[in-house]
Amino acid sequence: MAGSTFGERLKMTTFGESHGEAVGVILEGVTPGVELDEAYIQIQMDRRRPGQSSVTTPRKEYDKIRIVSGLFEGKTTGTPLCIMLNNTDMRPSAYDTIKSAYRPGHADFTYEKKYGIRDYRGSGRASGRETAARVAAGAVARRLLERRGVSILAYTTEIGGIRCEQFDVDAIERNAVRACDPEAAVRMIERIERLAEEGDSCGGIVECRISGIAAGLGEPVFDKLDAELAKAMLSVGAIKGIEFGTGFQAASMRGSEHNDQMDAEGFRTNHAGGIIGGISTGADIVFRVVVKPTSSISIPQRTVDVEGNEREIETIGRHDPCICPRVVPVIEAMACMVIEDHYKRQAALHDE
Amino acid sequence: MAGSTFGERLKMTTFGESHGEAVGVILEGVTPGVELDEAYIQIQMDRRRPGQSSVTTPRKEYDKIRIVSGLFEGKTTGTPLCIMLNNTDMRPSAYDTIKSAYRPGHADFTYEKKYGIRDYRGSGRASGRETAARVAAGAVARRLLERRGVSILAYTTEIGGIRCEQFDVDAIERNAVRACDPEAAVRMIERIERLAEEGDSCGGIVECRISGIAAGLGEPVFDKLDAELAKAMLSVGAIKGIEFGTGFQAASMRGSEHNDQMDAEGFRTNHAGGIIGGISTGADIVFRVVVKPTSSISIPQRTVDVEGNEREIETIGRHDPCICPRVVPVIEAMACMVIEDHYKRQAALHDE
Amino acid sequence: MAGSTFGERLKMTTFGESHGEAVGVILEGVTPGVELDEAYIQIQMDRRRPGQSSVTTPRKEYDKIRIVSGLFEGKTTGTPLCIMLNNTDMRPSAYDTIKSAYRPGHADFTYEKKYGIRDYRGSGRASGRETAARVAAGAVARRLLERRGVSILAYTTEIGGIRCEQFDVDAIERNAVRACDPEAAVRMIERIERLAEEGDSCGGIVECRISGIAAGLGEPVFDKLDAELAKAMLSVGAIKGIEFGTGFQAASMRGSEHNDQMDAEGFRTNHAGGIIGGISTGADIVFRVVVKPTSSISIPQRTVDVEGNEREIETIGRHDPCICPRVVPVIEAMACMVIEDHYKRQAALHDE
Amino acid sequence: MAGSTFGERLKMTTFGESHGEAVGVILEGVTPGVELDEAYIQIQMDRRRPGQSSVTTPRKEYDKIRIVSGLFEGKTTGTPLCIMLNNTDMRPSAYDTIKSAYRPGHADFTYEKKYGIRDYRGSGRASGRETAARVAAGAVARRLLERRGVSILAYTTEIGGIRCEQFDVDAIERNAVRACDPEAAVRMIERIERLAEEGDSCGGIVECRISGIAAGLGEPVFDKLDAELAKAMLSVGAIKGIEFGTGFQAASMRGSEHNDQMDAEGFRTNHAGGIIGGISTGADIVFRVVVKPTSSISIPQRTVDVEGNEREIETIGRHDPCICPRVVPVIEAMACMVIEDHYKRQAALHDE
């Protein structure tokens, strides 16, 4: 495949550039006869859209989605579901500097090397705007998972060096950074606002927990469930790493500590993060991803122009000083796609 | 696909259980007319095989490969290359306890949940032995990459809490743990030997560096080069996490620190690890993976039998107390497969 | 894949129902930097659209396409090209009878069996309207093939028992049935008009010729070039068979007659239809497909309703009494997709 | 994929050249826990192997298969099933002439154009021997279909201009050409024997009937069941065309004749051949394929050598003067693969 398609039995193909007419997604393999409406999807879109708070960009993209195909009389038909979002509030003028020079941390240089041509308007296809289409598709997958009793929840655990000390599930959607610790959230927001004033940005960590999942999902050997989740998460532009369960701490653990022993009630610990041998154990799947600091900053940086001449560049325009809060729904969406796809793959294996 | 196939234009399909007749791999899409012989592949097999030193299992699997198809008069034909390794030194008797109970940390429980049937002999398909087939395929990909001037090198940077303080490329293949720091290697080996005496095991970290790679490789948006590498690495049983460039450290960095600025010579830093927007920058690709402690330990652990009754289990048989040294060639093999595949995908995009 | 995606390196995914908001296609893997505009694509759309003559349905679907993504400043960017066509002139009222009963020859019954739900408006996803999206994608593939000097031409050779006796390439687009014999075309049109008066329909045969193609295209063993073309053609609803070169006549030929012998100028005959062992010989690829009579007729037919009760049905609404002329551009479009995809696959095999 | 893999949820990858060590197949996605043994598969192998009668080549390839992986204690494990056949009775000496010149009707020329290198021994990968691996995989698919009550039967209906006038299912395996008409079979055999004496060959037609299939199988729009069967059949080297139901006759039929009307008992006719809109109707699926005359004949033919010089060639060695009887089990095997795969795909769509 050419890289814009993800999944096997539940398969999405996204399209669109940030400053084209629209972005959208085609979702194939949707279970037919399932009740669905635009409002259900819009809830997730609104969690990702900008302008939600002081720490996110004020750009007005309402991300109002519409279902173009695959729905009939309020139910899925099993045919491709096309969901589109028109682009609004485009100001090409704000992006003139990008045309001639490569912004540090952005895909300007690499896209030009890959394609020999580049839609420089707002990063074109490389824009985070593409993830809006993923959130729309993920919302449909979430709808299918609901019927299975699977729930997927992501939240910020660290921003700019500030870590959450507690897990308060109710706090997550009540603070601007979607942190699981309301006190830490206050300090995270202060940190982000100070950096924003300096024209700088910061990174963070987002954790995701998948509950109510069946044991036995995942395809050895290459399509292990953790391998597929890793690909899904690293396919999100700002993500630079992922770890499952105890993750990198396992490097300094002994086998006698790390192994999850069992008793009649099931697993006594979950160091594996819910996946062993690439297959779900039935315990919660837990992983963390690292979110790099937003590349767009207004502090002058050194770069080269398209002719290779050295120059300075300041990214003007409005950007999120920390994208953790807006990445949370994207992480959830990708996880929903992977898990529902593997339920369908398991159904194909045991088919009677 | 059903999970035993990896890659698009260079595609491998592995097969075989640890105690069946053989394990092997079918490699499709190999560039025709390339000189290749079994000896070239055997070099890599010998780096993965057990019994190389005091810190690896003494089992005698010579892993002697043979090319069954796809080669003619010393050259690849472009048709599927089948490479097989017969299994030797199988002692089913040594695995009787596995039949009735689930070993903590192993895929015994999850395989049974997935398939409803389990080849318990030496973990069957879930055995690390399957990676021997990957190393054989990776050696062919390495041969193709040589012609492009791409080199891929992996090495241990941490074992059981002991970290490498220096990078000595010549030291890597000269110490039993394939560490890049010969002094650290000595302490790592001592640590492993002491744990082995206790019947325990430990984890570690392996770093991989890809040099001489062209800029422009990788397929946005889902098949980003880092996303594909992440899937490839997490598909290795013992790997529980991956990070690129500065990785998880990015969580506490500022954009002004993390962005790789450019000058006329190119990138001044490489915090991105050679990949931006999912596409190679031309700088070295650098990533690290965490290797969990070997699950097979001879310390008694709590588990349940197939009827769900609680019991104790001790994994007898011979196992690596730390698999980092033998994982190194597997990591390299998977990286070779991903990179060569993306060179071919890029060729298909620009096809004249 | 879930069936709405076709191709490997040049890949299209179509979406949309005949009476939804729109139909469209996402085209992945398009060579970047190629000049393209909507007018170029519209030319092919206009060849497929209804209302072109007395023998096609008078429905007014102008099939005006628009490029939603993947194009920048008049050139392809290599990112997904989305092309959409809004649906117009929808008259759900005209399709009420379909709701309750299954039309003979239509996919009403089979869709209900497959999905358990059915968008009955104008056949929904099963409508021939879906092929408009294919023609749009095929036009882009045609643009890429032009640069290679490959031309693809289809034409009617038989309708309702009337056969073409001569091949006049200039006549094809000058007669309403796109026949290669202008005299036969006159009789074909008379035949169709008479059947239309009777409320009946008829089938025919369309031949396709691919010229200027390189030798060596096609992937043994399963993705043979003829196998891929066969799948592409049979994926068009009305096509019930395909034959290459001498086709079914080969059943009564001897090897000494059928074998294409060679001399210094190349192949002396082309009984194979330009493909031997699944790979192009460099000679013209020639195949024929049979087009079934249009299923929608206004003659009363026996069927059952959704409760299984027997009843009579007359398909009202406006339909083509013979779809050969409108199938011609669809056949060409699918052939363009297959051939360009295989050029790209060959480029990936020989990649330096 | 690179062309040696077929199927989605039940997926086979074949490998091997006719004069290499072995040919074989990897079958992924096999339902676990199904009883299977080598004897069951061998039955189908014996139907394809040469030397069965006076009309097939006397070469002794016993085609004794062995299951290398994926089977445990007599049951499938759900992991890749590897089935191998060693090559025997190889006489490279008999193929020296092939080395320097291109045999008319063979893939010698096209393989050299595609790969730039050619394993000329017995056609290498292009040999009909590759189909032995398909028959082995098809036997496993047949085993899975048995449990669904689906049966697949192919038989010769025409050879060298002689047509079957009756359908006697019991006669098929009792005559050397696997014809459904015992009287016609006698004349077909005489015809073949006479042509063999002349050093010539002939073609024929094979029909396949799939019974007991569920309604609702097939994936619109590109993976229509007939499209997938067409690809499967055209992927068999000697097949040059396929038609479903009334096939090419539909070109001269009226819609009122061709439409299959329904009553309370179901479809009153089956002109569609059991597939409408690409989805199974539940009626028998019926299709016919045309088999070209065997390319290997001992009559002198004109060709060119690898330097392009004109010369004469006589294919020595032992070959089937008509391959219809041996193609029958290959057609069945490919049909089994397609149908079982689509049952699994349907299971993934409706997954609860």
Side-chain angles (χ1 to χ4, degrees):
Chain A
M1 291 183 278
S4 289
T5 300
F6 184 85
E8 282 204 6
R9 298 322 303 168
L10 183 67
K11 189 160 68 77
M12 67 170 149
T13 301
T14 69
F15 61 91
E17 284 76 43
S18 67
H19 285 58
E21 173 186 329
V23 296
V25 62
I26 311 301
L27 195 57
E28 297 176 75
V30 178
T31 308
V34 177
E35 292 189 356
L36 182 72
D37 60 28
E38 295 178 341
Y40 180 88
I41 297 167
Q42 195 63 48
I43 292 167
Q44 298 304 323
M45 303 310 294
D46 294 343
R47 293 177 66 213
R48 194 212 73 96
R49 76 171 179 80
Q52 299 171 60
S53 77
S54 63
V55 300
T56 58
T57 154
R59 267 173 303 153
K60 289 193 191 53
E61 319 164 40
Y62 286 118
D63 288 355
K64 180 82 187 61
I65 63 102
R66 72 180 194 281
I67 297 175
V68 174
S69 67
L71 196 73
F72 181 59
E73 297 179 341
K75 287 185 174 167
T76 57
T77 60
T79 59
L81 198 67
C82 174
I83 306 173
M84 291 187 72
L85 299 79
N86 288 340
N87 291 324
T88 55
D89 184 36
M90 300 176 287
R91 303 198 206 158
S93 59
Y95 295 99
D96 283 348
T97 54
I98 312 173
K99 181 175 183 175
S100 55
Y102 306 121
R103 294 164 299 165
H106 280 280
D108 304 339
F109 175 79
T110 52
Y111 264 61
E112 189 134 322
K113 288 295 178 184
K114 179 175 187 61
Y115 296 111
I117 180 174
R118 173 167 61 101
D119 177 350
Y120 51 78
R121 302 165 305 163
S123 301
R125 180 69 176 152
S127 167
R129 176 123 183 96
E130 180 271 340
T131 62
R134 305 188 192 198
V135 170
V140 178
R142 182 188 297 267
R143 177 73 188 86
L144 299 179
L145 286 167
E146 277 176 349
R147 307 158 71 225
R148 307 182 188 273
V150 177
S151 65
I152 293 181
L153 178 71
Y155 40 86
T156 299
T157 59
E158 180 177 335
I159 281 180
I162 299 160
R163 298 200 174 144
C164 290
E165 307 295 338
Q166 57 169 307
F167 180 76
D168 174 354
V169 66
D170 301 324
I172 297 168
E173 291 297 314
R174 295 214 186 104
N175 65 76
V177 287
R178 295 203 162 88
C180 59
D181 174 344
E183 282 102 64
V186 174
R187 287 177 290 125
M188 290 172 175
I189 292 165
E190 289 168 358
R191 181 79 203 275
I192 293 170
E193 288 171 341
R194 192 168 66 259
L195 284 164
E197 284 160 22
E198 298 168 17
D200 214 337
S201 65
C202 65
I205 290 175
V206 170
E207 183 169 88
C208 184
R209 178 173 294 270
I210 303 169
S211 307
I213 188 168
L217 298 187
E219 299 278 338
V221 297
F222 295 113
D223 297 349
K224 288 182 164 77
L225 196 55
D226 41 359
E228 299 259 70
L229 286 165
K231 176 177 176 175
M233 300 310 149
L234 271 293
S235 78
V236 178
I239 307 301
K240 299 298 288 183
I242 185 169
E243 60 177 9
F244 290 82
T246 50
F248 278 86
Q249 282 182 44
S252 46
M253 290 172 78
R254 292 164 166 237
S256 54
E257 295 172 273
H258 191 275
N259 283 345
D260 296 311
Q261 301 186 38
M262 300 181 77
D263 61 22
E265 275 64 51
F267 290 95
R268 298 155 54 87
T269 53
N270 188 15
H271 298 121
I275 301 174
I276 296 180
I279 306 174
S280 61
T281 65
D284 284 4
I285 293 175
V286 181
F287 62 85
R288 281 167 299 285
V289 296
V290 57
V291 180
K292 75 173 185 177
T294 311
S295 301
S296 297
I297 57 176
S298 51
I299 294 170
Q301 303 173 85
R302 291 185 60 179
T303 187
V304 295
D305 62 24
V306 292
E307 279 77 32
N309 308 313
E310 301 194 355
R311 50 164 291 186
E312 263 203 352
I313 189 168
E314 291 178 38
T315 308
I316 53 180
R318 305 127 304 157
H319 299 281
D320 295 331
C322 176
I323 68 165
C324 285
R326 290 181 63 201
V327 159
V328 161
V330 179
I331 296 302
E332 290 178 357
M334 293 305 293
C336 287
M337 287 297 299
V338 170
I339 301 302
E340 177 61 22
D341 186 32
H342 277 273
Y343 264 103
K344 287 181 169 293
R345 290 166 75 169
Q346 180 75 343
L349 182 67
H350 295 285
D351 48 54
E352 287 169 305
Chain B
M1 289 179 279
S4 289
T5 300
F6 184 84
E8 283 203 6
R9 298 321 303 168
L10 182 67
K11 188 160 69 78
M12 67 170 150
T13 301
T14 68
F15 61 91
E17 284 74 44
S18 68
H19 284 58
E21 171 187 331
V23 296
V25 62
I26 311 301
L27 195 57
E28 296 177 76
V30 178
T31 308
V34 178
E35 292 188 357
L36 182 72
D37 59 29
E38 295 178 342
Y40 180 89
I41 297 167
Q42 195 62 49
I43 293 166
Q44 298 305 322
M45 303 311 294
D46 293 343
R47 292 177 66 213
R48 194 213 72 97
R49 75 172 179 80
Q52 300 171 59
S53 76
S54 63
V55 301
T56 58
T57 153
R59 267 174 303 153
K60 291 193 188 52
E61 318 165 40
Y62 286 118
D63 288 355
K64 180 79 188 61
I65 64 102
R66 71 180 194 281
I67 298 175
V68 174
S69 67
L71 196 73
F72 181 58
E73 297 178 343
K75 288 185 174 168
T76 57
T77 59
T79 57
L81 198 68
C82 174
I83 305 173
M84 291 186 73
L85 298 79
N86 288 338
N87 290 325
T88 54
D89 184 37
M90 301 176 287
R91 303 199 208 155
S93 59
Y95 295 99
D96 283 348
T97 54
I98 312 173
K99 181 176 183 175
S100 55
Y102 306 121
R103 294 166 298 165
H106 281 279
D108 303 339
F109 175 78
T110 53
Y111 263 61
E112 190 135 321
K113 287 296 178 183
K114 179 174 186 61
Y115 296 110
I117 180 174
R118 170 167 63 102
D119 178 350
Y120 50 77
R121 302 165 305 165
S123 301
R125 180 71 177 153
S127 167
R129 176 125 183 93
E130 181 272 340
T131 62
R134 305 189 191 198
V135 170
V140 179
R142 183 188 295 267
R143 177 74 188 86
L144 300 178
L145 286 167
E146 277 177 350
R147 307 155 72 224
R148 307 182 188 275
V150 177
S151 64
I152 294 182
L153 178 72
Y155 39 86
T156 299
T157 59
E158 180 177 334
I159 280 180
I162 300 159
R163 297 199 175 146
C164 290
E165 306 295 338
Q166 56 169 308
F167 180 77
D168 175 354
V169 67
D170 301 323
I172 297 168
E173 291 296 315
R174 295 214 187 103
N175 65 77
V177 287
R178 294 203 163 89
C180 59
D181 175 344
E183 281 104 61
V186 174
R187 286 177 291 125
M188 290 172 175
I189 293 165
E190 289 167 359
R191 181 80 203 275
I192 293 170
E193 288 171 340
R194 192 169 65 259
L195 284 165
E197 285 159 22
E198 300 169 16
D200 213 339
S201 65
C202 65
I205 290 175
V206 169
E207 183 170 88
C208 183
R209 178 173 294 270
I210 303 169
S211 307
I213 188 169
L217 299 187
E219 299 279 336
V221 298
F222 296 113
D223 297 349
K224 289 182 162 76
L225 196 55
D226 41 0
E228 299 258 71
L229 285 165
K231 177 178 175 175
M233 300 310 149
L234 271 293
S235 78
V236 179
I239 307 302
K240 298 299 288 185
I242 185 169
E243 60 177 9
F244 290 82
T246 50
F248 278 85
Q249 281 183 44
S252 47
M253 290 172 77
R254 292 165 166 236
S256 54
E257 297 171 274
H258 191 274
N259 283 346
D260 296 311
Q261 301 186 39
M262 300 180 77
D263 62 21
E265 275 63 52
F267 291 95
R268 298 155 55 87
T269 53
N270 189 16
H271 298 122
I275 300 173
I276 296 180
I279 306 175
S280 62
T281 64
D284 284 3
I285 293 175
V286 181
F287 62 86
R288 278 167 302 285
V289 296
V290 57
V291 181
K292 74 174 186 177
T294 310
S295 300
S296 297
I297 56 176
S298 52
I299 294 171
Q301 301 174 86
R302 288 185 61 179
T303 188
V304 294
D305 61 25
V306 291
E307 279 77 32
N309 308 312
E310 301 194 354
R311 50 166 290 186
E312 263 202 354
I313 189 167
E314 289 178 41
T315 309
I316 52 180
R318 303 127 305 160
H319 300 281
D320 295 331
C322 177
I323 68 165
C324 284
R326 290 180 64 200
V327 159
V328 161
V330 178
I331 296 302
E332 290 178 357
M334 293 305 294
C336 287
M337 287 297 299
V338 170
I339 301 303
E340 177 63 22
D341 187 31
H342 277 273
Y343 265 103
K344 287 181 170 293
R345 290 167 74 169
Q346 180 74 342
L349 181 66
H350 297 285
D351 50 53
E352 286 169 308
Chain C
M1 289 181 279
S4 289
T5 300
F6 184 84
E8 283 204 6
R9 299 321 304 167
L10 182 68
K11 188 160 68 76
M12 68 170 149
T13 300
T14 69
F15 60 91
E17 284 75 42
S18 68
H19 284 58
E21 173 187 329
V23 296
V25 62
I26 311 302
L27 195 57
E28 296 176 76
V30 178
T31 308
V34 178
E35 292 188 357
L36 182 73
D37 60 28
E38 295 179 342
Y40 180 89
I41 298 167
Q42 195 63 49
I43 292 166
Q44 299 304 322
M45 303 310 294
D46 293 344
R47 293 177 67 213
R48 194 213 72 97
R49 76 172 178 79
Q52 299 171 59
S53 77
S54 62
V55 301
T56 58
T57 152
R59 267 174 303 153
K60 290 195 189 49
E61 317 166 41
Y62 286 119
D63 287 354
K64 179 83 187 60
I65 64 102
R66 71 181 196 281
I67 297 174
V68 174
S69 67
L71 196 73
F72 181 58
E73 295 178 343
K75 287 184 174 169
T76 57
T77 60
T79 58
L81 198 67
C82 174
I83 305 174
M84 290 186 73
L85 298 80
N86 288 339
N87 291 325
T88 55
D89 185 37
M90 300 176 287
R91 301 199 207 158
S93 60
Y95 295 98
D96 283 347
T97 54
I98 311 173
K99 180 176 183 174
S100 54
Y102 307 121
R103 293 165 299 165
H106 280 280
D108 303 339
F109 175 78
T110 53
Y111 264 61
E112 189 134 322
K113 288 295 179 184
K114 179 175 187 59
Y115 296 111
I117 180 175
R118 173 167 61 101
D119 178 350
Y120 50 78
R121 303 165 302 165
S123 301
R125 180 69 176 153
S127 167
R129 177 127 182 92
E130 180 272 340
T131 62
R134 306 189 190 197
V135 170
V140 179
R142 183 187 296 268
R143 178 74 188 87
L144 299 178
L145 286 167
E146 276 176 349
R147 308 157 71 224
R148 306 182 188 274
V150 177
S151 65
I152 293 181
L153 177 72
Y155 40 87
T156 299
T157 58
E158 180 177 335
I159 281 181
I162 300 159
R163 298 198 174 146
C164 290
E165 306 296 338
Q166 56 168 306
F167 180 76
D168 175 354
V169 66
D170 301 324
I172 297 167
E173 291 297 314
R174 295 213 186 105
N175 66 76
V177 288
R178 294 202 164 89
C180 59
D181 175 344
E183 282 102 61
V186 174
R187 286 177 290 126
M188 290 173 174
I189 292 166
E190 289 168 0
R191 181 81 203 274
I192 293 170
E193 289 172 339
R194 192 168 65 259
L195 284 164
E197 286 160 20
E198 299 169 15
D200 214 338
S201 65
C202 65
I205 291 175
V206 169
E207 183 170 89
C208 184
R209 178 173 294 270
I210 302 168
S211 308
I213 188 168
L217 299 187
E219 299 279 338
V221 297
F222 295 113
D223 297 349
K224 288 182 162 77
L225 196 55
D226 40 0
E228 299 258 69
L229 285 165
K231 176 177 176 176
M233 300 309 149
L234 271 293
S235 79
V236 178
I239 307 302
K240 299 298 287 183
I242 186 169
E243 60 177 9
F244 290 81
T246 51
F248 277 85
Q249 280 181 46
S252 46
M253 289 173 77
R254 292 166 166 234
S256 54
E257 296 172 274
H258 191 275
N259 283 346
D260 296 312
Q261 300 185 39
M262 301 180 76
D263 61 22
E265 275 62 52
F267 290 96
R268 297 154 56 87
T269 53
N270 189 15
H271 298 120
I275 300 174
I276 296 181
I279 305 175
S280 62
T281 65
D284 285 4
I285 292 175
V286 181
F287 62 85
R288 281 168 298 285
V289 296
V290 56
V291 181
K292 74 174 186 177
T294 310
S295 301
S296 297
I297 57 177
S298 51
I299 294 170
Q301 302 173 87
R302 290 184 60 179
T303 188
V304 294
D305 61 25
V306 291
E307 279 78 31
N309 308 312
E310 300 192 355
R311 50 164 291 184
E312 264 201 352
I313 189 168
E314 290 177 39
T315 309
I316 53 179
R318 304 126 307 157
H319 301 281
D320 295 331
C322 177
I323 67 165
C324 285
R326 291 181 61 201
V327 159
V328 161
V330 179
I331 296 302
E332 290 178 356
M334 293 305 293
C336 287
M337 287 296 299
V338 170
I339 301 302
E340 178 62 21
D341 186 31
H342 277 273
Y343 265 103
K344 287 182 169 294
R345 290 166 74 170
Q346 180 74 342
L349 182 67
H350 296 285
D351 50 53
E352 287 170 303
Chain D
M1 290 180 279
S4 290
T5 300
F6 184 84
E8 283 204 5
R9 300 320 303 167
L10 182 68
K11 187 159 70 77
M12 67 169 148
T13 301
T14 68
F15 61 92
E17 284 75 42
S18 67
H19 284 58
E21 172 186 331
V23 296
V25 62
I26 311 301
L27 195 57
E28 297 177 75
V30 178
T31 308
V34 178
E35 293 187 357
L36 182 72
D37 59 29
E38 295 178 341
Y40 181 89
I41 297 167
Q42 195 64 48
I43 293 166
Q44 298 305 321
M45 303 310 294
D46 294 343
R47 292 177 67 213
R48 194 213 72 97
R49 76 172 178 79
Q52 299 170 61
S53 76
S54 62
V55 301
T56 58
T57 154
R59 267 174 303 154
K60 291 193 191 50
E61 317 166 40
Y62 286 118
D63 288 356
K64 180 77 187 61
I65 64 103
R66 70 180 195 281
I67 298 174
V68 174
S69 67
L71 196 73
F72 181 59
E73 296 177 342
K75 288 185 173 167
T76 57
T77 59
T79 58
L81 198 67
C82 174
I83 305 173
M84 290 187 73
L85 298 80
N86 288 339
N87 291 324
T88 54
D89 185 36
M90 300 177 287
R91 303 198 207 157
S93 59
Y95 295 98
D96 283 348
T97 55
I98 312 173
K99 180 175 183 175
S100 55
Y102 306 121
R103 293 165 299 165
H106 280 279
D108 303 338
F109 175 78
T110 53
Y111 264 60
E112 189 135 321
K113 289 294 179 183
K114 179 174 186 60
Y115 295 112
I117 179 174
R118 170 168 63 102
D119 177 351
Y120 50 78
R121 302 165 305 166
S123 301
R125 181 70 176 154
S127 167
R129 176 126 184 92
E130 180 272 339
T131 62
R134 306 189 191 197
V135 170
V140 178
R142 182 188 296 267
R143 177 74 188 86
L144 299 178
L145 286 167
E146 277 176 349
R147 307 157 72 225
R148 306 182 188 275
V150 177
S151 64
I152 293 181
L153 177 72
Y155 40 85
T156 298
T157 58
E158 180 178 334
I159 281 179
I162 301 159
R163 294 195 178 153
C164 290
E165 305 296 338
Q166 55 167 308
F167 180 77
D168 174 355
V169 66
D170 301 323
I172 297 168
E173 291 296 314
R174 295 213 185 103
N175 65 77
V177 286
R178 292 201 166 91
C180 59
D181 175 343
E183 281 103 62
V186 174
R187 287 177 288 125
M188 290 172 175
I189 292 166
E190 288 167 2
R191 180 82 204 274
I192 293 170
E193 288 172 340
R194 193 170 65 258
L195 285 165
E197 285 159 21
E198 299 168 17
D200 213 340
S201 65
C202 65
I205 290 175
V206 170
E207 183 170 88
C208 184
R209 177 173 294 269
I210 302 169
S211 306
I213 188 169
L217 299 186
E219 299 280 336
V221 296
F222 296 114
D223 297 349
K224 289 183 163 77
L225 196 56
D226 41 0
E228 299 258 72
L229 285 165
K231 176 177 175 176
M233 300 310 149
L234 271 294
S235 79
V236 178
I239 307 302
K240 298 299 288 184
I242 186 169
E243 60 177 9
F244 290 81
T246 51
F248 277 85
Q249 282 182 44
S252 46
M253 289 172 79
R254 293 166 165 234
S256 53
E257 296 171 274
H258 191 274
N259 284 345
D260 296 312
Q261 300 186 39
M262 300 180 77
D263 61 23
E265 275 62 51
F267 290 95
R268 296 154 56 87
T269 53
N270 189 15
H271 297 122
I275 300 173
I276 296 181
I279 305 175
S280 62
T281 64
D284 284 3
I285 292 175
V286 181
F287 62 84
R288 280 167 300 285
V289 295
V290 57
V291 180
K292 75 173 185 177
T294 310
S295 300
S296 297
I297 56 177
S298 50
I299 294 170
Q301 301 174 87
R302 288 184 61 178
T303 188
V304 295
D305 62 24
V306 291
E307 279 77 32
N309 308 312
E310 301 193 354
R311 50 166 290 186
E312 264 202 353
I313 189 167
E314 289 178 42
T315 308
I316 52 178
R318 305 128 302 160
H319 301 282
D320 294 332
C322 177
I323 67 165
C324 285
R326 289 180 63 201
V327 159
V328 161
V330 179
I331 296 303
E332 290 178 358
M334 292 305 294
C336 287
M337 288 296 300
V338 171
I339 301 302
E340 177 62 22
D341 187 31
H342 277 274
Y343 264 103
K344 287 181 169 295
R345 291 166 74 169
Q346 180 75 341
L349 181 67
H350 297 285
D351 50 55
E352 287 169 306

